Structure formats: C-alpha cells, structure tokens
Amino acid sequence: MDTFAALNAFIAVIEEGGFAPAGRRMQVATSSVTRQVDALEESLGTRLLNRSTRSVTLTSAGESYFEHAVRILGDLESANLEVSEAAEAPRGLLRVSLPVAFARLHIAPALPEFTRRYPDIRLDLVLSDTIADLVEQRLDLAIRLGGVESPSVVARKIAPHHRCLCASPAYLREHGEPRTPADLTQHQCLTFSYSRGSNIWHFKGRTEEVVRVTGPVRANSSELLREAAIAGMGLILMPSWLVGGDIEAGRLRLVLPQWSSGIGETDAGIHAVYQPNRRSSKKVRAFIDFFATHFGSPPYWDRLAAPGAKTVAPGDQ
C-alpha cells in the first residue's frame, strides 16, 4: 500500500463528500479511491468511515485520524516547498483568497507589477467576502479585514483597518453637517446589512458615544452604499480603503474627523493569514512583502481618511 496515496484518498473523500467526487478531484476512478481507503482501514485494523448510499461520514476513530492525516500531509508539502524553493526565485502556483471590493480596488491594479517582478509565480485568486478555510480550500494565503481570532493560523498585519464617516458635499449642503455623533439621529444614514448591529455606530473622542442610525437604504454591498453616498443619499460609515480615494478626489467629505468610529467589532488591521506550514514559502512571503510595500505606511488610501484627518471642503482640492 502507498501510504501517502491512501492518505490523500481518505482526505479527498471527506473534503469532497464522497468517493466519486474524490475520484474526480484526484483524476482517478472511483474504484481506485475505494481500494486505497479500504487498504488504509485494513492496515490500521479499524473503520475510519461510516458509509451509506447517501453519505460518507467519519467514525470517532476517523475524526482523530483525519486531523493527523491533514497535518502530516501539510508538513510534507511544507518540507517539499522549503527544499524545492531553497535555491530558486519564488515560483509555482499561489492560491490566495481576497475580499471582493478590496481586491478590485487595491490588489488588481498592482497585479501587472507583481507578475513582472515574479514571473514564475502563477496566481489563483479566489474572491469572496466570507472567511476562507485555508485547509479545506487548499489556500496558501488569505487577506482578511479586521481582527483575526483563530490561533491556528499565522497573521501578519500589512495595513491598518479603520472606518470613517463621510457624505457627499451635495448632501452636506442640503442637510447641514453633523457636529456631534448624537446629531446623526437627525440625518439619513446608509447602513451595511452584512454584519449584526450595523445600524449601531460607535464613536470615540473625549467620550464614547453609541448612536442608533436610520436611513433610506440598507444593503449587503459596501460598493453600492458608497455609490449611494456619492449620489447624495446620506452618510456612510465605511473602511478608509473603500472611500479614501473619494475623499481625496472630493466626491465625499470626511465628517466628525475628530472622532474615531466603527460598528462595534475589532478593526484591528488588514492581515495576510496563512498556515504555519507555509511560513517558509518564498512565494507566500513574496506576495505579502510586495503588497505591504505597495500599500505603504501609512497606506496611500489614508492620506486624507485617517482618524483625525482634516476635513477637506469643496473647492479645496
């Protein structure tokens, strides 16, 4: 029995939810996957899988063995990468998960320069606003916005992440400018529906204030809300990486700049996240270092949108 082939087959069956899809992933016949898993169970003297006509699930022994198998193959892949990359420039396939809007605004424009600098790296970019499972999705790296709570991953902060309150000059001319967070109860506020409590905005200055806001539009698309704010529909509380360019161009104006603001969760930073067994990967390090340098410190989108920034009035651009 080829132990490593059997481990790969066993892991594929669990991750794909059956023998047939595992065979398709491995590009082998279903019967071959079945034989490999059968041989693995026979060699261990225990059953790893509960099989029925509708599903395949792990036994209690299989649950424990699955965790070990994933770790063993991950360590082997890491060792292979470290040895193969030791004397070479970064190369190979790099799978990266990216938040959709952030990727469009700040990753995509820099990709031509990245590929010129690292011509031997092939990128497979997965755009999603959900938190990616690095192991299950076989990802080398993910960019996450905000706090990272998982102790099982390595997280490197590559830029700060904070929100700023802003509105279009046209809206502020028509409705006036809020002077305190409490004034927001008298204004049209556009809220993000993706997270719980998104209509409760938190502010910190000399004191802390919590304001429940309302408005004409609630959406799960930050870019839609940004366009609505530019069109003069109300105020938005959005990450500076999303609206920093609009503030600099005068399409939006920073409101209550003396207050730091958020919606309650940790806005700790923009992080590059990877498994510990990717720590020595040159291609992972190349991607992280390149974009950390490209963003700058402070990042280019924070030139006028950082906490405490001076409000830019229309005509001052």
Side-chain angles (χ1 to χ4, degrees), residues 197-216:
S198 58
N199 67 325
I200 301 175
W201 292 356
H202 297 245
F203 295 87
K204 291 183 180 180
R206 293 183 179 179
T207 60
E208 294 189 17
E209 295 195 29
V210 178
V211 182
R212 184 180 294 274
V213 298
T214 60

Side-chain angles (χ1 to χ4, degrees), residues 118-135:
Y118 301 105
D120 295 325
I121 295 180
R122 293 177 292 113
L123 293 171
D124 182 359
L125 305 180
V126 181
L127 272 60
S128 174
D129 288 328
T130 60
I131 296 178
D133 187 312
L134 298 177
V135 176

